[in-house]
Amino acid sequence: MTAVKAPSPWVKTHYSNIVAGGRVLDLACGSGRHTCFLQEKGYQLTAIDKDITALQEVDLPNVNLLQADLEEEPWPFEGKLFEGIIVVNYLWRPLFSNLVESLIPGGVLIYDTFCLGNEAYGRPKNPDFLLRPRELKTAFSELTCLEFSEGLIENPRPAVRQSIVARKS
Ligand SMILES: C[S@@+](CC[C@H](N)C(=O)[O-])C[C@H]1O[C@@H](n2cnc3c(N)ncnc32)[C@H](O)[C@@H]1O
């Protein structure tokens, strides 16, 4: 079994804004580091990615694990609501409105990914996959911003990132 990687520091710091025991969607979950972290914290996880092979190797009997191409297929959570949505190191702007719609009132979005300026430090370098200045604040302006951060971070490696925690009213 592969060792599970550490969660993003942003998620680790802010996850407790999501109501205890709530339903959480880990979008583009990858190897499932946030799925595992949040399940251990007592949340009910739904994890989705176009490639779930890594996560299938982890023993997570209570996780609702879905495979889908989020950029080619219709939004798979129409009519479903979550107390929390986590998006880390993934950017597909057409889904922004789906994320807002899929939060229950009081639900919390935790978004943490690379932004312009990161190309000096490593991948991603393609501007399509890099947030513009304050883009998360603008894109999710109908949510109440609880925390926002933008700029160079040193850990786990130097990168230029933008991150938000925002609550649906
Ligand atoms: C850099 S990884 C981040 C994984 C995870 N969120 C984390 O922080 O560890 C990006 C993930 O997005 C997924 N992904 C990319 N394009 C996708 C798509 N069209 N539909 C679903 N998942 C996609 C990849 O398979 C990959 O697991």
Side-chain angles (χ1 to χ4, degrees):
M1 189 189 292
T2 328
V4 179
K5 291 185 194 151
S8 110
W10 188 258
V11 171
K12 209 170 165 181
T13 304
H14 297 293
Y15 78 89
S16 58
N17 284 287
I18 304 170
V19 67
R23 294 159 292 177
V24 177
L25 172 62
D26 184 4
L27 193 83
C29 61
S31 61
R33 60 188 175 134
H34 301 110
T35 296
C36 296
F37 174 75
L38 292 168
Q39 198 191 38
E40 275 183 17
K41 299 290 179 193
Y43 293 97
Q44 305 167 53
L45 268 296
T46 294
I48 187 164
D49 201 287
K50 68 177 179 185
D51 177 3
I52 55 169
T53 42
L55 199 40
Q56 277 170 328
E57 288 174 21
V58 186
D59 183 26
L60 289 170
N62 298 319
V63 170
N64 180 22
L65 181 58
L66 304 171
Q67 180 166 28
D69 187 330
L70 291 160
E71 296 162 25
E72 297 293 336
E73 298 171 36
W75 179 240
F77 304 110
E78 210 58 64
K80 294 217 169 91
L81 293 172
F82 298 91
E83 279 78 23
I85 300 179
I86 306 285
V87 191
V88 179
N89 294 353
Y90 177 71
L91 179 60
W92 185 245
R93 293 177 172 90
L95 296 180
F96 283 176
S97 59
N98 298 110
L99 300 182
V100 174
E101 283 163 17
S102 298
L103 280 174
I104 201 165
V108 171
L109 172 69
I110 299 181
Y111 208 128
D112 173 33
T113 193
F114 302 96
C115 62
L116 285 173
N118 187 69
E119 54 283 18
Y121 295 89
R123 290 183 174 182
K125 295 179 183 238
N126 180 341
D128 289 347
F129 303 124
L130 296 171
L131 289 161
R132 297 181 282 270
R134 301 178 70 79
E135 185 174 352
L136 289 176
K137 266 208 151 176
T138 311
F140 296 105
S141 58
E142 68 187 276
L143 305 181
T144 303
C145 180
L146 305 179
E147 295 284 345
F148 179 77
S149 163
E150 183 175 52
L152 178 63
I153 57 124
E154 295 294 339
N155 293 308
R157 63 173 172 89
V160 183
R161 302 185 67 88
Q162 197 180 115
S163 316
I164 198 167
V165 182
R167 179 171 281 136
K168 189 166 178 176
S169 48

